Amino acid sequence: MAESSKKRRRTNTDDLPFKNKLKPDSTILQILKDFSTSSSSSSSSSKALTLQDLSLPFSCREVSDLSLSSVQSIIESLVLRIAHSILSGNGFAFDVPSRSATNQFYVPELDRIVLKDKSSLRPFANISTVRKSAITARILQLVHQLCIKGIHVTKRDLFYTDVKLFQDQIQSDTVLDDVSCMLGCTRSSLNVVAAEKGVVVGRLIFSDNGDMIDCTKMGMGGKAIPPNIDRVGDMQSDALFILLVEKDAAYMRLAEDRFYNRFPCIIVTAKGQPDVATRLFLKKMKMELKLPVLALVDSDPYGLKILSVYGCGSKNMSYDSANLTTPDIKWLGVRPSDLDKYKIPEQCRLPMTEQDIKTGKDLLEEDFVKKNPGWVEELTLMVKTKQKAEIQALSTFGFQYLSEVYLPLKLQQKDWL
Amino acid sequence: MDSSESPTETKKTKSKTPRKNKETVLKQKSPAEFFAENKNIAGFDNPGKSLYTTVRELVENSLDSAESISELPVVEITIEEINKSKFNSMIGLIDCERVDAELYDDYETEKAREKRLAKEARAQEIQAKNAALGKKVKETPASKGIRGRGEASFYRVICKDNGKGMPHDDIPNMFGRVLSGTKYGLKQTRGKFGLGAKMALIWSKMSTGLPIEISSSMRNQSYISFCRLDIDIHKNIPHVHVNEKRENKERWHGAEIQVVIEGNWTTYRSKILHYMRQMAVITPYAQFLFKFVSDAPEKNVTIRFSRRTDVMPPVPLETKHHPSSVDLLLIKRLIAETSKQNLLQFLQHEFVNISKSHAERLIGEMGPDFSPKMALKSLTPQQLVRIHQLFRQAKFDDPNGHCLSPAGEYNLRLGIIKELHPDMVATYSGSAQVFEGHPFIVEAGVSIGGKNVKQGLNIFRFANRIPLLFEQGADVVTRTALKRINWSSYKINQLQDKIGIFVSIVSTKIPFKGTGKEYIGDDITEIASAVKYSIQQCCIQLKSKIVKKMQAREQQERKRNLSKYIPDATGAVYNVLKDMAETQLHASKKFRYGDDDGELLRKVYENLITKETLSEKLAKHVEQVDYEMALEYATQSGVSEEPREAIYIQPLETENKIIDLHSPFFVFRMFY
């Protein structure tokens, strides 16, 4: 039964466009193997640069992973300073690093956004900052408790401890980022995590809190990426590359078709904008397994933006960009040039809105786009044609076109930027 | 019917029996008939609106009449409800009791009755339950009887003014002939069609059949003309019942008009009251007395809109046409009416903005067939077209706004303050601008707060100094206020604040849209941008006031807002300290803290420093900061928020003893 259905599938897909261009899987596998070894050797040869290696004209703020006890002692000394200040009748103020856009800087050598060291005073006795400084004090106290008890909570938990003060979760989340920036530690060191969002499936085995997980045996849904990366370890894999997928739908198609068995790979998605956990996980995979990362995103400005968040970091979390960014991600598809190359019909393309075009033009001004001439070319084409398309546009040739033809052909032609 | 009949006879029979393919017969319709059939054009769509339009036509006539003799207007409007039996006795009809009840539309069948009774019983049950539970019970409206179609309500509308009055012999024609009037000509007028009271008369004839009654007297006239008349709609001529002279003891001048019409007070009450209120805003120099009288005393309304100023806008002047606003027909009419003989004089004197030399240049441009001295009567139709073409293509100076009579910033402001009592108001009067050869002036006022003002935008529109109440949605003012003004940039909250927006547009020709002439379209860029600019100018004035007010409020509330967060902050700090103190002393670890810190933690542990200690200290700090800020604010803005005005009080004793001490810079005057 399974045999026959497989056969039917094969015969049905024979007439798919460009199917005839595909070489046998073994040839493609050889191409991938060469690519994988060459990229791993190149990444191992060039030692990762750090901020200290560069002599930048300004100082930058970077955070590091700290142990619970050191986070606790930093909070305690800060609170003691505040208590003294209050008791001596001077009120108190926090010195919070500014995370505004003007304080961000893209470092081409590192290929990521870093935070400059500008900071602003947050005094209690000022009508515009009183609220924020009260919230900051409260968050510090809550994190201090987490440190004493040694437990993890989610951002949502944190918000619910004092809804009356925080009012909505955006406020407590923002201050939480401020606090981790101020203390000089990563957000995960504060023992506050975001809810699980990302999933992984494919040729990967790792330990989560001591349990060994085999991601080929996780069914169709895959394994949820654990929110605290510190309990993940012992990564092993025979994959040739990591495939980063923007959309849940495309991820499901690849997982169901067991794409990772045809071409050994690890498939990851964060279902849209990536969360911290997924970014940390990707970084860890890249560092430990030394695999090339290929990205499959929508052909619109937001697809590229998501790619850039994986690659160079978001402005909101730029203080921790060293830990969160994965360098050297290749843009596999769907690229604006693919729309014509794969003859995607007009009815599957969408016209870009004013907002889309503006975002696209803004992206063209960004340094992380400019450093890659191929990306600039593709983005210019997108803005010029004013057309966008989602990964799903490929389904116009059949639901399995993505896994049967598009991706194999792309890999065979080494068509990534 | 025999088939051998002659064709003429067939025609005859055909016209007798009404059929679809009836031969068209050329009929003539009098203007009165036209308006009777299309009464919605003049605002008589339904009984309710007819009542409203009657009131406004009469009020506007009264204002025009008083203003034309520079008399401060005093207008009294009375609407008297007339019940059915009274109405029947007025027209001499005896009340008829219903005999065959089932004949009527509102007859209640047995089934419907059962249904209604069951529903009422249920409602009573619920009410009783609610009352037993002690809930607040809303007064359920008494079940209203179904109002039948025939149940019309009738009203007597009386409007009395102190205006010019009318010459005794002209009265029948002024009321009994549609499209005859004194207000035709190119100038800013209130009236919309020159129909005025005539439409009210037609409506009264259609709905009640009762005549109109007019009393009028002119200045220094020893008698009062009294006239009772109705209109012959088919002939468009007055039908006079009585026209007599009566004694004028009080030397009153003005007019009093009484008309009995069908109407609907219940549904149009608020519109009529709004109209009166807005009229009072735009004409604060007039005094209005509005009364509604009915048999039920609780329904009666009496509102007096008192006069607040003696300053009246000038009477609008009649002006000549602007060359770019005329059409071919108008040129022909002007030629027919003018006393001028030749083309040069015609151009020079019958239009604005054409000087003699300009006229000569224009004639030169018209072509070789034209000469300045050529007689007007000799112009061929082709030549007229040429003149028209040139008028449209050539450039002329814009007409100035001297012929217009805007309400004036002073009056607008007064009117707003008088009727709305706002917290703040700003007004702006633009300069004259031009649309299609007609000058227009936009004036605007924006108010914040006030009584009887809803939250959000309250838009008051005026065109040629009359309020526009209907079809607000598409109007240029509404659109501008809603879409093109960024209220938040003027520190005005579009949803929360009580904002009054008053825009008055005056022009020799208001470019109304729609049949009802109730709104000005949004598609005229000149007017739209002028409206926007005027509203913005008001907002700019308001912004500085609002910012000052907000600063003052911030001053007052700063301490409270800061103190609000003291428990949160100190609570957080104290809890960390407490945890630290406990772990430190319990675990007896290596002493991690310096002397000061150790001392502090010990005090916390021994309850020498508590949350209250921290709160007190922080509160003191807040107080100090607040004091410093208040001091700074006071030095920056001056002690009092508003500049003080000098008041001079005369001593009661007439004898003034003063000594002036002179110095080079000032004079010091002492009273003693």
Side-chain angles (χ1 to χ4, degrees):
Chain A
M1 186 72 193
E3 196 64 19
S4 72
S5 78
K6 208 169 195 177
K7 230 173 213 168
R8 185 159 7 104
R9 196 195 293 166
R10 292 272 167 200
T11 47
N12 273 355
T13 51
D14 266 348
D15 53 342
L16 289 176
F18 304 105
K19 172 87 178 171
N20 48 3
K21 281 196 186 171
L22 269 180
K23 289 178 188 153
D25 284 3
S26 55
T27 326
I28 303 174
L29 275 175
Q30 193 51 50
I31 293 168
L32 286 172
K33 262 176 205 152
D34 295 346
F35 168 60
S36 181
T37 41
S38 74
S39 75
S40 69
S41 64
S42 73
S43 65
S44 59
S45 64
S46 66
K47 229 188 116 233
L49 279 168
T50 60
L51 267 179
Q52 280 75 41
D53 299 337
L54 305 162
S55 47
L56 291 173
F58 47 85
S59 51
C60 295
R61 185 178 293 270
E62 274 202 306
V63 297
S64 48
D65 274 317
L66 293 179
S67 66
L68 272 188
S69 59
S70 48
V71 171
Q72 189 181 343
S73 66
I74 294 175
I75 294 178
E76 286 176 353
S77 57
L78 182 62
V79 169
L80 280 171
R81 190 177 60 72
I82 288 167
H84 281 302
S85 174
I86 294 176
L87 289 173
S88 59
N90 292 328
F92 70 91
F94 292 106
D95 192 15
V96 183
S98 156
R99 291 189 290 121
S100 66
T102 50
N103 203 27
Q104 318 268 356
F105 188 76
Y106 173 80
V107 183
E109 292 89 339
L110 300 172
D111 187 19
R112 57 185 167 86
I113 301 168
V114 297
L115 194 63
K116 292 194 268 187
D117 70 338
K118 210 174 84 190
S119 69
S120 57
L121 217 53
R122 196 175 275 180
F124 180 80
N126 185 315
I127 204 77
S128 57
T129 52
V130 58
R131 219 185 117 63
K132 275 213 159 165
S133 62
I135 294 176
T136 313
R138 188 87 174 100
I139 296 270
L140 276 174
Q141 187 223 331
L142 292 170
V143 172
H144 184 251
Q145 269 185 8
L146 294 179
C147 292
I148 293 174
K149 298 199 171 118
I151 51 166
H152 289 86
V153 295
T154 63
K155 294 203 284 189
R156 191 82 184 151
D157 280 331
L158 201 67
F159 163 64
Y160 269 111
T161 50
D162 200 342
V163 182
K164 208 175 138 232
L165 175 64
F166 299 147
Q167 287 175 0
D168 66 69
Q169 204 189 324
I170 298 165
Q171 298 195 27
S172 64
D173 287 358
T174 318
V175 172
L176 186 70
D177 281 330
D178 285 340
V179 163
S180 77
C181 197
M182 184 169 68
L183 301 180
C185 61
T186 59
R187 203 175 71 197
S188 1
S189 336
L190 298 178
N191 273 11
V192 182
V193 295
E196 293 174 348
K197 190 176 169 209
V199 277
V200 59
V201 74
R203 307 283 267 258
L204 176 71
I205 297 169
F206 67 95
S207 68
D208 179 7
N209 220 4
D211 303 336
M212 288 312 285
I213 310 281
D214 184 351
C215 294
T216 51
K217 298 190 174 63
M218 295 305 296
M220 237 179 73
K223 162 82 178 119
I225 292 173
N228 31 349
I229 197 76
D230 42 350
R231 54 178 216 214
V232 172
D234 311 319
M235 282 184 171
Q236 300 162 33
S237 171
D238 63 343
L240 295 174
F241 61 96
I242 299 168
L243 186 60
L244 198 61
V245 182
E246 178 187 340
K247 288 278 187 62
D248 200 22
Y251 169 86
M252 243 184 63
R253 169 74 12 247
L254 296 173
E256 193 181 36
D257 291 353
R258 305 234 176 220
F259 185 74
Y260 49 85
N261 284 339
R262 190 169 164 201
F263 304 102
C265 65
I266 304 166
I267 304 168
V268 183
T269 182
K271 301 169 188 169
Q273 276 290 354
D275 56 337
V276 170
T278 311
R279 283 153 67 186
L280 285 171
F281 191 80
L282 183 69
K283 167 94 174 177
K284 200 175 173 76
M285 281 199 294
K286 167 89 179 167
M287 289 299 118
E288 295 197 354
L289 305 172
K290 305 234 180 310
L291 293 174
V293 183
L294 303 176
L296 179 63
V297 294
D298 283 348
S299 171
D300 61 20
Y302 309 102
L304 195 58
K305 221 164 182 177
I306 285 169
L307 192 54
S308 82
V309 171
Y310 281 114
C312 328
S314 66
K315 289 197 170 146
N316 197 30
M317 301 283 286
S318 58
Y319 58 91
D320 194 17
S321 60
N323 293 316
L324 291 173
T325 57
T326 311
D328 198 29
I329 297 179
K330 302 286 187 205
W331 187 7
L332 183 69
V334 176
R335 297 204 306 269
S337 60
D338 290 347
L339 298 187
D340 285 335
K341 210 189 284 175
Y342 288 87
K343 299 204 170 62
I344 291 175
E346 281 294 329
Q347 66 262 30
C348 297
R349 309 181 190 185
L350 294 166
M352 284 167 81
T353 62
E354 290 292 318
Q355 186 61 38
D356 290 341
I357 294 168
K358 195 182 165 294
T359 315
K361 283 184 178 157
D362 289 348
L363 273 177
L364 273 173
E365 300 298 313
E366 297 279 358
D367 294 313
F368 65 84
V369 176
K370 277 199 226 159
K371 60 126 205 241
N372 193 330
W375 291 16
V376 173
E377 208 174 289
E378 292 284 355
L379 195 56
T380 320
L381 179 70
M382 187 195 313
V383 173
K384 211 181 83 191
T385 57
K386 294 189 173 128
Q387 281 181 330
K388 59 179 182 181
E390 300 190 4
I391 305 174
Q392 277 72 48
L394 295 166
S395 305
T396 182
F397 305 120
F399 289 115
Q400 289 176 313
Y401 186 75
L402 175 70
S403 52
E404 295 285 342
V405 182
Y406 180 76
L407 283 180
L409 195 60
K410 277 271 189 183
L411 295 172
Q412 177 191 313
Q413 294 170 344
K414 297 177 99 173
D415 184 17
W416 52 70
L417 292 171
Chain B
M1 211 170 278
D2 208 315
S3 57
S4 64
E5 269 180 351
S6 64
T8 45
E9 268 183 354
T10 356
K11 214 185 225 168
K12 220 177 171 184
T13 49
K14 256 186 187 170
S15 64
K16 262 182 197 164
T17 49
R19 278 198 197 157
K20 261 195 174 169
N21 54 351
K22 191 173 113 179
E23 288 286 315
T24 47
V25 180
L26 192 66
K27 271 190 191 169
Q28 286 235 319
K29 203 168 262 184
S30 81
E33 261 178 319
F34 174 78
F35 282 108
E37 280 166 25
N38 299 289
K39 51 192 187 335
N40 62 313
I41 293 178
F44 287 76
D45 312 38
N46 53 53
K49 189 139 186 230
S50 302
L51 181 65
Y52 162 81
T53 310
T54 305
V55 168
R56 69 175 283 181
E57 292 287 6
L58 294 180
V59 168
E60 282 154 24
N61 276 350
S62 296
L63 288 175
D64 280 338
S65 158
E67 280 170 24
S68 68
I69 53 165
S70 303
E71 182 87 25
L72 290 167
V74 177
V75 183
E76 288 177 33
I77 308 276
T78 312
I79 300 179
E80 224 179 284
E81 194 173 43
I82 300 168
N83 61 33
K84 199 180 160 199
S85 58
K86 198 166 154 199
F87 175 73
N88 280 351
S89 72
M90 273 169 72
I91 57 172
L93 187 77
I94 305 149
D95 280 350
C96 285
E97 285 298 315
R98 286 183 183 187
V99 183
D100 186 356
E102 282 181 50
L103 202 59
Y104 297 92
D105 189 37
D106 56 352
Y107 174 72
E108 200 174 26
T109 59
E110 198 57 36
K111 240 182 183 171
R113 192 181 148 80
E114 267 171 34
K115 227 175 179 176
R116 180 174 60 89
L117 286 178
K119 197 177 170 190
E120 277 173 15
R122 225 171 330 156
Q124 262 179 355
E125 210 172 287
I126 292 167
Q127 209 170 355
K129 221 186 248 169
N130 283 347
L133 288 168
K135 273 187 198 166
K136 246 191 193 172
V137 185
K138 244 201 280 175
E139 201 63 45
T140 45
S143 55
K144 272 185 266 178
I146 317 148
R147 230 183 81 143
R149 270 180 295 140
E151 238 9 79
S153 4
F154 298 97
Y155 302 88
R156 185 201 304 278
V157 182
I158 308 163
C159 178
K160 187 177 179 183
D161 64 55
N162 61 340
K164 192 181 177 187
M166 288 158 277
H168 181 81
D169 296 325
D170 286 354
I171 291 174
N173 271 333
M174 287 177 98
F175 284 91
R177 203 187 283 273
V178 170
L179 300 184
S180 71
T182 49
K183 291 181 197 162
Y184 294 114
L186 188 69
K187 67 171 177 180
Q188 175 194 331
T189 52
R190 281 206 174 88
K192 291 194 295 186
F193 293 94
L195 289 171
K198 291 153 216 142
M199 237 359 256
L201 176 55
I202 292 176
W203 173 242
S204 86
K205 196 170 167 65
M206 289 174 81
S207 57
T208 67
L210 287 169
I212 191 169
E213 285 180 7
I214 302 126
S215 308
S216 158
S217 180
M218 300 182 73
R219 260 184 184 162
N220 305 322
Q221 199 170 281
S222 57
Y223 57 88
I224 294 175
S225 321
F226 178 79
C227 187
R228 183 183 296 137
L229 60 88
D230 66 21
I231 183 168
D232 186 326
I233 288 181
H234 301 291
K235 293 190 191 139
N236 190 24
I237 51 164
H239 176 238
V240 181
H241 300 216
V242 183
N243 193 10
E244 59 186 26
K245 291 178 181 176
R246 291 179 178 178
E247 207 181 341
N248 187 4
K249 279 183 195 157
E250 298 159 358
R251 304 198 59 76
W252 166 69
H253 63 88
E256 181 181 324
I257 294 157
Q258 269 194 41
V259 60
V260 180
I261 54 166
E262 187 189 339
N264 189 341
W265 171 253
T266 338
T267 48
Y268 272 73
R269 177 179 179 274
S270 74
K271 283 285 180 199
I272 292 172
L273 294 181
H274 270 129
Y275 171 78
M276 292 308 298
R277 189 181 186 201
Q278 294 194 17
M279 201 53 159
V281 168
I282 201 74
T283 37
Y285 51 88
Q287 179 167 314
F288 297 97
L289 179 67
F290 177 82
K291 274 196 270 188
F292 176 78
V293 187
S294 74
D295 292 339
E298 73 275 4
K299 272 168 76 185
N300 289 0
V301 180
T302 305
I303 308 175
R304 179 186 295 277
F305 300 93
S306 42
R307 176 178 299 134
R308 195 51 63 87
T309 172
D310 293 343
V311 182
M312 259 206 298
V315 179
L317 301 170
E318 187 159 351
T319 183
K320 288 177 284 190
H321 287 275
H322 189 268
S324 55
S325 71
V326 294
D327 56 35
L328 201 52
L329 208 61
L330 192 57
I331 296 175
K332 281 183 185 161
R333 207 188 81 206
L334 289 173
I335 287 174
E337 285 171 359
T338 185
S339 58
K340 302 290 175 282
Q341 296 302 311
N342 65 40
L343 185 59
L344 180 70
Q345 283 174 332
F346 173 70
L347 294 182
Q348 191 186 338
H349 295 290
E350 292 297 328
F351 297 96
V352 290
N353 293 353
I354 300 183
S355 62
K356 194 178 174 196
S357 59
H358 193 190
E360 280 165 352
R361 275 178 66 195
L362 283 171
I363 293 167
E365 187 64 26
M366 282 171 197
D369 313 346
F370 293 87
S371 70
K373 292 275 175 258
M374 71 190 291
L376 273 178
K377 307 280 181 255
S378 70
L379 285 169
T380 63
Q382 289 78 13
Q383 282 174 320
L384 289 179
V385 173
R386 172 70 194 134
I387 293 174
H388 182 220
Q389 278 176 351
L390 188 67
F391 274 180
R392 283 206 298 196
Q393 289 159 2
K395 192 170 151 281
F396 298 93
D397 287 342
D398 285 340
N400 59 36
H402 293 323
C403 57
L404 298 178
S405 167
E409 229 182 307
Y410 174 78
N411 273 344
L412 186 62
R413 191 186 188 85
L414 256 178
I416 297 170
I417 294 173
K418 174 167 98 88
E419 291 305 323
L420 272 79
H421 301 284
D423 302 336
M424 275 181 238
V425 62
T427 50
Y428 176 80
S429 188
S431 53
Q433 295 189 49
V434 180
F435 171 64
E436 285 183 351
H438 292 281
F440 69 89
I441 294 178
V442 174
E443 294 167 300
V446 175
S447 71
I448 306 281
K451 65 171 191 184
N452 295 340
V453 186
K454 281 184 296 178
Q455 277 191 343
L457 299 178
N458 295 268
I459 292 165
F460 300 85
R461 300 171 291 141
F462 304 96
N464 280 354
R465 308 214 318 257
I466 55 170
L468 302 179
L469 267 77
F470 295 89
E471 303 193 59
Q472 175 164 300
D475 190 85
V476 59
V477 177
T478 318
R479 291 284 182 94
T480 306
L482 281 177
K483 300 225 172 102
R484 302 192 196 104
I485 304 281
N486 185 6
W487 294 99
S488 59
S489 68
Y490 303 104
K491 309 279 177 202
I492 299 172
N493 186 329
Q494 193 180 339
L495 301 173
Q496 306 258 298
D497 289 335
K498 297 172 172 178
I499 312 164
I501 298 151
F502 305 80
V503 177
S504 159
I505 301 172
V506 294
S507 173
T508 46
K509 188 184 176 216
I510 299 270
F512 285 113
K513 276 242 165 139
T515 50
K517 291 205 173 187
E518 283 289 353
Y519 75 101
I520 301 167
D522 194 24
D523 49 355
I524 301 160
T525 13
E526 289 90 338
I527 292 187
S529 62
V531 166
K532 184 181 170 193
Y533 182 75
S534 306
I535 297 179
Q536 278 175 333
Q537 289 304 307
C538 295
C539 289
I540 290 170
Q541 293 173 39
L542 282 179
K543 187 183 173 184
S544 61
K545 286 189 197 173
I546 292 172
V547 167
K548 257 193 196 148
K549 228 181 181 180
M550 277 165 70
Q551 277 175 347
R553 199 189 307 141
E554 200 178 272
Q555 285 298 316
Q556 286 171 355
E557 291 177 0
R558 181 177 50 229
K559 200 170 143 189
R560 198 164 57 85
N561 281 337
L562 290 178
S563 306
K564 200 165 73 181
Y565 290 103
I566 290 178
D568 286 315
T570 52
V573 171
Y574 177 72
N575 283 334
V576 175
L577 290 177
K578 214 174 96 188
D579 285 342
M580 284 165 69
E582 276 168 14
T583 41
Q584 182 207 4
L585 294 167
H586 276 269
S588 64
K589 266 196 236 161
K590 191 181 80 187
F591 212 65
R592 283 198 300 187
Y593 310 104
D595 289 347
D596 286 359
D597 298 342
E599 180 69 12
L600 179 68
L601 290 180
R602 194 183 56 76
K603 281 183 179 167
V604 170
Y605 189 70
E606 290 166 8
N607 273 339
L608 293 171
I609 290 175
T610 60
K611 194 183 157 190
E612 283 66 40
T613 330
L614 291 172
S615 298
E616 266 170 41
K617 286 281 185 187
L618 195 55
K620 251 183 207 161
H621 173 69
V622 164
E623 213 158 283
Q624 191 195 337
V625 169
D626 181 54
Y627 176 73
E628 280 165 14
M629 299 269 284
L631 210 63
E632 197 179 321
Y633 177 74
T635 45
Q636 270 177 10
S637 63
V639 180
S640 69
E641 279 86 47
E642 277 160 35
R644 290 191 179 160
E645 273 176 47
I647 299 174
Y648 300 97
I649 303 168
Q650 287 288 315
L652 288 171
E653 273 88 332
T654 42
E655 206 178 354
N656 281 342
K657 291 188 174 178
I658 50 168
I659 295 177
D660 282 351
L661 304 172
H662 291 267
S663 99
F665 306 108
F666 63 89
V667 179
F668 194 82
R669 172 172 286 182
M670 267 176 72
F671 297 86
Y672 64 99

